[in-house]
Amino acid sequence: MTFTKTTEQSSKYDHLEKMSVQELLSNINQEDKTVPNAVEKALPQIENLVTAIVQKMKLGGRLFYIGAGTSGRLGVVDASECPPTFGVPFDMVVGIIAGGDAAIRRAVENAEDNTTQAWSDLQEFTITANDVVIGIAASGTTPYVINGLEKCNAHNITTGSISCNADSPLSKTAQFPIDVVVGPEFVTGSSRMKAGTAQKLVLNMISTTTMIQLGKVKGNKMVDMQLSNSKLVGRGIKMIMDEIPVSQETAATLLTQHGSVRKAVNAFLENK
């Protein structure tokens, strides 16, 4: 089967510079509406990968994202949001971007073409067979990511991938590939748009579903979230009041004493 990069095909729209602001926004919105449908088609693949992640993490394993450019940045964002949202250690979900942290803000020349650096980056975390590594690349051809997964496969480390082209080299490398085929971008080749949105949606699904399966959510509440600002403290107080019959003042005292909604509620119930 011939591999075709639909992410690089010409946009269905032309003469963009002649469109009004309203026309540009409307057309971009029309394209964006197609993304959730593309993600829906990939749900069985996402389920397979999440199931594998949960199994490994219950054994004490970690989740790694590796990527370059936009894909790498999205992995870093998702990983960095897990500790404050779910109260997990900062090294439980790790985002690695080609070119290092400097590449988060500014592109690093040729970083994505390096065929050895991903494995070196992973080894800094003493990666083991209990861990899972997900390679993220809209094109599905990024050498940094593909080589990283190849090395992981050779060392019996579970691998997954997120690509926006069908039957890509990356998908063929990963043990648990996810293909979200969003088609040509509004601006030809600008995969930070639909492809980036699709990747973000899938990452949200992976990390959130995994954390729920690991018991980091109770009911529908983030009971282990970090209380890093006044908004979250206020949310925590309300969550405690929803769970147990206490006043706002008592809830605030419990939260201060115990540091999390879960611990505060449990302490109250144990001493009741």
Side-chain angles (χ1 to χ4, degrees):
M1 182 179 294
T2 302
F3 172 56
T4 301
K5 288 187 185 180
T6 55
T7 53
E8 295 293 330
Q9 289 182 341
S10 184
S11 172
K12 294 184 288 184
Y13 304 82
D14 202 356
H15 305 298
L16 306 187
E17 73 281 4
K18 296 181 180 179
M19 292 183 184
S20 66
V21 170
Q22 189 278 328
E23 288 173 322
L24 289 167
L25 296 177
S26 178
N27 289 333
I28 291 172
N29 181 242
Q30 287 301 312
E31 287 300 300
D32 286 345
K33 288 177 181 178
T34 68
V35 176
N37 291 333
V39 173
E40 182 179 12
K41 293 176 182 177
L43 285 177
Q45 292 181 315
I46 300 171
E47 180 183 358
N48 289 338
L49 177 54
V50 171
T51 300
I53 294 169
V54 172
Q55 290 173 348
K56 289 290 187 176
M57 292 190 114
K58 285 183 176 179
L59 297 174
R62 298 161 295 172
L63 173 60
F64 290 85
Y65 300 130
I66 59 172
T70 298
S71 298
R73 294 183 188 100
L74 289 169
V76 170
V77 167
D78 192 77
S80 67
E81 290 174 345
C82 287
T85 304
F86 302 108
V88 298
F90 282 94
D91 61 352
M92 189 172 180
V93 183
V94 179
I96 298 174
I97 183 171
D101 286 352
I104 295 173
R105 293 182 178 274
R106 183 175 297 179
V108 175
E109 188 175 0
N110 297 323
E112 72 173 58
D113 296 324
N114 192 310
T115 58
T116 61
Q117 190 60 45
W119 181 241
S120 296
D121 292 341
L122 288 166
Q123 285 185 301
E124 290 185 14
F125 295 89
T126 318
I127 192 166
T128 74
N130 279 337
D131 300 321
V132 177
V133 178
I134 299 177
I136 313 170
S139 67
T141 61
T142 306
Y144 173 90
V145 179
I146 292 173
N147 181 266
L149 293 199
E150 287 175 344
K151 290 290 187 181
C152 289
N153 289 336
H155 287 80
N156 198 33
I157 297 167
T158 301
T159 57
S161 66
I162 305 172
S163 173
C164 294
N165 286 310
D167 301 311
S168 71
L170 177 61
S171 296
K172 292 178 180 178
T173 303
Q175 298 163 23
F176 296 94
I178 297 171
D179 299 322
V180 185
V181 183
V182 295
E185 297 286 1
F186 179 70
V187 176
T188 299
S190 183
S191 56
R192 70 183 183 87
M193 300 185 75
K194 289 193 299 180
T197 300
Q199 291 172 327
K200 175 60 175 168
L201 290 175
V202 173
L203 288 167
N204 284 348
M205 292 173 130
I206 290 172
S207 57
T208 302
T209 304
T210 296
M211 292 301 162
I212 293 171
Q213 289 286 300
L214 294 176
K216 297 300 179 181
V217 171
K218 183 179 180 181
N220 55 21
K221 304 294 196 304
M222 299 179 288
V223 293
D224 293 321
M225 66 180 181
Q226 293 180 355
L227 307 172
S228 56
N229 58 51
S230 58
K231 178 191 76 173
L232 296 179
V233 170
R235 182 186 296 168
I237 291 171
K238 185 178 184 304
M239 288 163 64
I240 291 171
M241 294 171 66
D242 288 342
E243 286 289 318
I244 55 178
V246 296
S247 66
Q248 181 173 340
E249 183 179 4
T250 300
T253 300
L254 286 168
L255 192 58
T256 300
Q257 288 176 343
H258 299 285
S260 80
V261 173
R262 185 193 298 274
K263 291 177 180 177
V265 171
N266 289 344
F268 176 86
L269 295 175
E270 289 172 2
N271 295 322
K272 190 174 180 181

